Amino acid sequence: MTTADVLVIGGGVIGASVAYHLLEQNPRLRVILLEREAEVGAGATSKATGGVRHQFSTEANIRLTLLSYPYFTRAQERFGRPVDFLAHGYLFVTASPPTLAGVARSVELQRALGVRSRMLAPGEMAPLLPALVTADLVGGSFCGDDGSADPYGLLQAFLSVARGRGLEVRTGEGVVAVEKGGQRVTGVRTARGAYAAPIVVDCAGPHADEIGALAGVDLPSKPFKRQVMVTEPLPGFPDMFPLIVDLDTGWYVHRQGASAVLMGGTDKDRQPGHDTTIDW
Ligand SMILES: Cc1cc2nc3c(=O)[nH]c(=O)nc-3n(C[C@H](O)[C@H](O)[C@H](O)COP(=O)(O)OP(=O)(O)OC[C@H]3O[C@@H](n4cnc5c(N)ncnc54)[C@H](O)[C@@H]3O)c2cc1C
């Protein structure tokens, strides 16, 4: 039986962040991170676009970005390495007047919290990406401080500092049972052995509800499939343009490398599940 102060289940960016912050608060803690796969970052983290935005419609989400933004812009200072953050901006567009009214309310909330977002008329969008067809749009919003970073780089940044403070990362350790004493969690079991700890943090991402079920807790978190595609470099596209989100469909378009374009979205009618086959 291995003992720890805290067990973190899941070696994605959230598990890495939790471990990093625990050890930043108290480097004397024994923190063990258990990852099911042979290496960390194999889940959603390494698939993510890396978008970082302030443009949300709820105060909680806006405040979360305000708190986390310096981790991207000042990564070198904090982690001793960059996370490739680029403030290319996010542009939200819509062809629907009611949706535009909602965007205006969100921008008002964002600005009240100190975010430098603003409403844009279709005619004001052309300088951001001349190839954008705006004829059917009624408007949108833009924040030039939004951007993107390298999610896997951020994961490794968290882990490298946390490892320096004593974090133990154990890969190939899938949690198969959560041990309890009364109402309290007392540890976990993997196929290889048992771990005891008074605190277990569920950072299993799209599998978080499965860990919850092992502990007898029904977590209201379900995974939804998202698919992305990347083009060859497109002549005529600038090296940098905003990440553009069509609010009416959820479809987004993003610069990828030199002049290539990444596009993606989530089919909102799809049922939750772990199927990762490509079907479009
Ligand atoms: C295509 C795509 C694009 C995205 N774009 C963005 C974006 O632009 N901006 C943004 O903010 N977010 C984006 N996301 C979402 C982002 O990827 C996730 O929110 C984030 O990576 C979640 O991190 P996580 O650590 O919670 O999950 P994960 O990275 O999935 O990590 C969970 C880990 O838990 C492990 N695990 C699972 N079960 C067990 C078990 N029983 N025992 C031990 N380990 C276990 C898994 O193997 C995995 O490594 C995108 C996601 C996708 C798929």
Side-chain angles (χ1 to χ4, degrees):
M1 170 87 74
T2 305
T3 59
D5 295 305
V6 184
L7 295 171
V8 177
I9 304 174
V13 72
I14 300 298
S17 171
V18 166
Y20 167 91
H21 285 96
L22 283 168
L23 288 161
E24 183 182 55
Q25 290 273 316
N26 183 356
R28 289 188 303 279
L29 289 176
R30 183 172 189 200
V31 180
I32 301 178
L33 186 152
L34 300 170
E35 166 54 49
R36 179 167 62 188
E37 301 300 328
E39 50 190 78
V40 294
T45 297
S46 54
K47 320 292 185 299
T49 307
V52 176
R53 61 180 159 112
H54 299 80
Q55 293 186 86
F56 283 103
S57 57
T58 65
E59 181 169 344
N61 276 340
I62 299 165
R63 286 195 185 281
L64 279 172
T65 299
L66 289 169
L67 280 171
S68 57
Y69 196 65
Y71 286 68
F72 299 101
T73 55
R74 304 176 73 171
Q76 187 70 46
E77 268 167 68
R78 183 174 271 274
F79 305 116
R81 59 166 81 188
V83 295
D84 298 342
F85 180 71
L86 190 62
H88 46 63
Y90 257 65
L91 172 65
F92 286 88
V93 302
T94 179
S96 152
T99 301
L100 189 65
V103 173
R105 284 193 296 276
S106 297
V107 166
E108 199 179 329
L109 176 63
Q110 291 152 17
R111 292 181 67 86
L113 294 169
V115 173
R116 296 188 293 179
S117 54
R118 64 183 199 274
M119 297 298 289
L120 285 188
E124 296 173 294
M125 295 173 186
L128 296 171
L129 180 60
L132 188 68
V133 176
T134 58
D136 61 338
L137 299 178
V138 292
S141 66
F142 177 74
C143 177
D145 294 329
D146 292 346
S148 58
D150 170 14
Y152 191 75
L154 180 61
L155 164 85
Q156 291 298 350
F158 279 134
L159 287 184
S160 69
V161 178
R163 278 190 171 112
R165 293 177 179 145
L167 172 67
E168 295 166 56
V169 176
R170 301 198 178 179
T171 54
E173 287 278 31
V175 170
V176 294
V178 174
E179 306 291 359
K180 285 167 74 177
Q183 287 301 301
R184 286 203 63 87
V185 168
T186 56
V188 303
R189 267 192 294 116
T190 69
R192 292 188 190 162
Y195 292 83
I199 298 172
V200 176
V201 189
D202 176 1
C203 300
H207 299 274
D209 58 333
E210 295 163 19
I211 301 294
L214 292 177
V217 178
D218 184 17
L219 289 183
S221 166
K222 298 287 170 218
F224 285 87
K225 180 170 171 175
R226 182 187 290 197
Q227 301 183 68
V228 295
M229 55 186 264
V230 179
T231 67
E232 296 290 324
L234 295 174
F237 270 66
D239 281 351
M240 190 163 110
F241 56 86
L243 192 154
I244 302 170
V245 184
D246 175 5
L247 289 167
D248 304 327
T249 59
W251 190 252
Y252 63 93
V253 179
H254 174 46
R255 177 201 67 93
Q256 177 84 8
S259 304
V261 172
L262 179 149
M263 296 176 247
T266 302
D267 179 353
K268 292 193 168 116
D269 297 328
R270 195 180 288 277
Q271 293 302 306
H274 290 284
D275 171 30
T276 56
T277 52
I278 297 165
D279 59 8
W280 53 266

